[in-house]
Amino acid sequence: MSHTNTERPAATVQPGHGLAPRRLAGAARRGLLPALLPLAALVAPARAEPAAQPFTAAYDLRFLGLSVGQATLTLDRDPAGGRYGLDLAASLRGLVGFFVEGTGTARASGRLGPAGAQPTAFDVDSRYAGKPIRVAMRLERGGVRSLTLEPEPTPRPDRVPLAQKDRIGIVDPLSALAVPLGDAPLDPALCERRIPVFDGATRADLVLSRGALVTVQEGPYRGPALDCRVRWVPIAGHRANGPTVRRMAENDAMRVRLAPVPGGALLLPLAIGVATGWGDVRIEATGWGSGAEAAAARIPESGRAGVRVSLPRAR
């Protein structure tokens, strides 16, 4: 709900008060919103061959009540082999004083197990403020086997160095969106989890807690869902003295609503909310289905784009 210089988006909006438009624009360029899409979040060389119709969720990104972008998240699954492919495409429109335009895609694939996703590939190809951002990461048994990152993170005295241990026992930001449900009914206890995420440049934990069952009665999905509190805990690769990092780490007003996809056994984000000093950022599903319904919800190929998929950070 992404990677290297100080001009690149960090990933979510941080709380702040009384900031002038120029400072807000600078904060946006460091990364106020894009990373929510994947957690939110936060995708096809890496995609698995589908054994059934793919599931697609379409999202609208809103800030201060204004629509500032759209995204689609497509899931392909092979239930027999346990393989999955996630494809995230999004676009962020310029908003004077706050955001600049960004486009791109992110891809992830691997296997789904009882404990969650076990990714084997993660790729990002995007542009933000006219600058290209590319990631090609291959994984094996929860560890990074190879990594290409363009551009490399800008050296800073306060940047926490990445160690080899930070590349082990992790998932990519996109695979982190898939929460295993299994055959059990929805339970608030499913929110109690800590997800170790590495995007090629930074290592952080997404800590979910304080679960509550809700019944969704409006929108493309109707039925039971799970509301979770989310905390972002930086581990390595971030700037220790960066104000964005501090505010994001202290932000206790991030929530994600998870809903089961058709066929069950897996939860994906239905909505993501972040309260900030400037206003609320909301990412809400506008389409939720498969087959013809999913195709109608997709972003047209000419507009397929995605602000990078990454964790919140200050570059």
Side-chain angles (χ1 to χ4, degrees):
M1 223 170 359
S2 107
H3 302 291
T4 50
N5 54 40
T6 53
E7 296 296 315
R8 296 178 63 175
T12 320
V13 185
Q14 306 79 19
H17 300 276
L19 296 182
R22 180 175 297 180
R23 292 185 62 190
L24 288 173
R29 286 192 294 270
R30 288 194 299 272
L32 294 181
L33 190 61
L36 286 178
L37 284 177
L39 169 41
L42 96 75
V43 231
R47 288 172 61 182
E49 289 299 322
Q53 287 186 326
F55 166 83
T56 295
Y59 298 93
D60 184 41
L61 287 70
R62 304 188 71 84
F63 178 59
L64 298 177
L66 301 175
S67 178
V68 296
Q70 287 81 38
T72 59
L73 178 65
T74 301
L75 168 68
D76 286 339
R77 286 185 296 174
D78 175 8
R83 296 195 60 82
Y84 73 92
L86 280 167
D87 187 331
L88 177 67
S91 62
L92 182 67
R93 292 190 294 276
L95 183 61
V96 176
F98 292 94
F99 303 114
V100 293
E101 292 185 356
T103 61
T105 58
R107 304 175 179 90
S109 67
R111 291 186 178 276
L112 290 171
Q118 301 170 5
T120 57
F122 174 66
D123 296 272
V124 174
D125 187 359
S126 64
R127 298 185 69 86
Y128 188 79
K131 296 183 179 181
I133 301 168
R134 296 185 177 88
V135 181
M137 183 165 61
R138 300 297 174 262
L139 305 97
E140 185 176 4
R141 297 178 181 177
V144 177
R145 181 164 53 88
S146 65
L147 172 65
T148 300
L149 181 66
E150 299 176 0
E152 292 286 338
T154 304
R156 302 290 182 185
D158 64 339
R159 191 177 299 284
V160 179
L162 283 163
Q164 182 59 32
K165 65 180 181 179
D166 299 319
R167 299 175 172 86
I168 298 174
I170 53 88
V171 296
D172 62 85
L174 197 54
S175 297
L177 298 177
V179 176
L181 176 60
D183 297 327
L186 280 178
D187 189 310
L190 288 170
C191 281
E192 303 296 329
R193 63 183 62 243
R194 192 180 189 104
I195 306 174
V197 186
F198 180 63
D199 67 1
T202 58
R203 168 72 175 82
D205 284 350
L206 292 178
V207 182
L208 277 62
S209 63
R210 301 181 188 173
L213 290 176
V214 297
T215 300
V216 181
Q217 298 179 334
E218 297 181 354
Y221 169 82
R222 312 286 177 90
L226 187 62
D227 278 356
C228 304
R229 170 214 190 203
V230 182
R231 291 296 300 270
W232 178 74
V233 181
I235 305 296
H238 62 284
R239 297 186 61 186
N241 299 328
T244 300
V245 170
R246 183 181 67 253
R247 291 168 180 159
M248 279 304 305
E250 295 174 351
N251 193 340
D252 194 29
M254 293 187 288
R255 306 288 299 184
V256 60
R257 173 168 292 180
L258 300 166
V261 302
L266 194 66
L267 301 173
L268 287 176
L270 185 66
I272 297 170
V274 179
T276 78
W278 310 310
D280 290 343
V281 172
R282 294 286 301 174
I283 300 175
E284 296 184 339
T286 57
W288 190 268
S290 58
E293 180 182 354
R298 291 175 185 267
I299 293 177
E301 289 298 325
S302 60
R304 286 180 73 85
V307 188
R308 56 177 226 192
V309 180
S310 69
L311 293 173
R313 81 186 56 123
R315 304 303 299 167

